[in-house]
Amino acid sequence: DVKVTQSSRYLVKRTGEKVFLECVQDMDHENMFWYRQDPGLGLRLIYFSYDVKMKEKGDIPEGYSVSREKKERFSLILESASTNQTSMYLCASSFPGPCCGHEQYFGPGTRLTVT
Amino acid sequence: KQEVTQIPAALSVPEGENLVLNCSFTDSAIYNLQWFRQDPGKGLTSLLLIQSSQREQTSGRLNASLDKSSGRSTLYIAASQPGDSATYLCAVKETSGSRLTFGEGTQLTVNP
């Protein structure tokens, strides 16, 4: 079974802090994604990565950056956390080959509160 | 731009009922469609993935169908149980790229 893990289930940070959210997958997937999920807005893509050191902006990249130094790990960084970044953050991974249809597997989520 | 809509937004049924959840998308040039389940405060669990060349996929009591030309998919749940209570989301992947476009989900409650 594919396993995607996230470093924290719950996180409370102060405004202005630098925040790191970590995601690790164990299936050698090329693609990794960071989403945020908010009531009434659904899932929105922040960034994704299709290979080590490769990244692309999603729909809402402002205020975020990412790092992918190893294939299995994809980090989301909030450079200076703000209260409007309070949200549920979800990481996902997928394999782009025809065998697997880009099926996305999700981690358990990190509920981030910025006070 | 692809848009995905799920109707109804919420559904409450008695245990044992068969039910259908709907998903529609605006651009029929899709690569596949995926159905997910999300329990409160948790991540998404993949239920079924239908390739664009397929008409349906089955897993246990779940059956998902795809009509690409009309831009619709349905998720059929047979003999619903209280443990099926969750939010169900559909997502489409277009023919290029790796991104998914998600619907906002249907919140299902199955009452004992």
Side-chain angles (χ1 to χ4, degrees):
Chain A
D1 278 353
V2 176
K3 193 165 184 183
V4 181
T5 57
Q6 295 182 227
S7 50
S8 305
R9 292 283 286 118
Y10 301 94
L11 209 52
V12 179
K13 296 292 182 180
R14 293 193 179 273
T15 301
E17 276 193 80
K18 190 169 186 175
V19 182
F20 293 86
L21 303 182
E22 304 282 339
C23 176
V24 177
Q25 50 93 6
D26 67 358
M27 283 301 292
D28 205 33
H29 284 173
E30 269 80 4
N31 296 335
M32 295 188 76
F33 307 82
W34 275 108
Y35 298 89
R36 63 178 283 178
Q37 185 178 33
D38 301 285
L41 296 175
L43 272 90
R44 293 179 291 169
L45 182 65
I46 305 171
Y47 266 99
F48 71 97
S49 168
Y50 48 92
D51 204 347
V52 175
K53 298 191 189 291
M54 307 301 286
K55 61 186 179 185
E56 273 195 33
K57 293 180 180 179
D59 299 319
I60 50 164
E62 297 78 19
Y64 303 95
S65 62
V66 290
S67 171
R68 191 158 181 211
E69 297 295 320
K70 293 185 178 181
K71 194 174 186 180
E72 67 270 18
R73 187 180 298 269
F74 191 34
S75 302
L76 180 69
I77 303 155
L78 286 66
E79 297 290 343
S80 177
S82 63
T83 54
N84 63 13
Q85 292 178 310
T86 291
S87 186
M88 171 70 109
Y89 289 87
L90 293 163
C91 174
S93 71
S94 71
F95 182 72
C99 72
C100 313
H102 293 255
E103 185 170 3
Q104 284 198 16
Y105 296 88
F106 280 77
T110 296
R111 170 73 64 185
L112 172 67
T113 302
V114 183
T115 62
Chain B
K1 183 185 172 185
Q2 179 76 266
E3 291 182 5
V4 179
T5 304
Q6 292 187 245
I7 295 173
L11 182 64
S12 181
V13 300
E15 183 176 3
E17 257 196 29
N18 302 324
L19 58 100
V20 174
L21 306 180
N22 297 294
C23 172
S24 61
F25 46 95
T26 54
D27 186 346
S28 62
I30 66 168
Y31 185 82
N32 62 35
L33 183 144
Q34 198 168 352
W35 281 95
F36 296 89
R37 168 188 172 134
Q38 186 176 30
D39 293 296
K42 302 284 180 66
L44 279 66
T45 300
S46 179
L47 297 174
L48 290 164
L49 182 145
I50 313 177
Q51 301 290 2
S52 61
S53 57
Q54 297 175 318
R55 293 301 298 260
E56 64 179 70
Q57 279 283 352
T58 299
S59 176
R61 293 182 296 107
L62 305 180
N63 176 278
S65 69
L66 175 65
D67 184 343
K68 204 173 72 160
S69 61
S70 68
R72 293 183 183 183
S73 175
T74 61
L75 180 67
Y76 175 82
I77 303 176
S80 58
Q81 303 171 357
D84 295 329
S85 298
T87 297
Y88 291 81
L89 296 102
C90 69
V92 299
K93 184 194 144 355
E94 297 182 28
T95 51
S96 63
S98 297
R99 299 175 54 154
L100 297 183
T101 303
F102 286 84
E104 290 207 29
T106 294
Q107 186 175 359
L108 173 66
T109 303
V110 181
N111 301 299

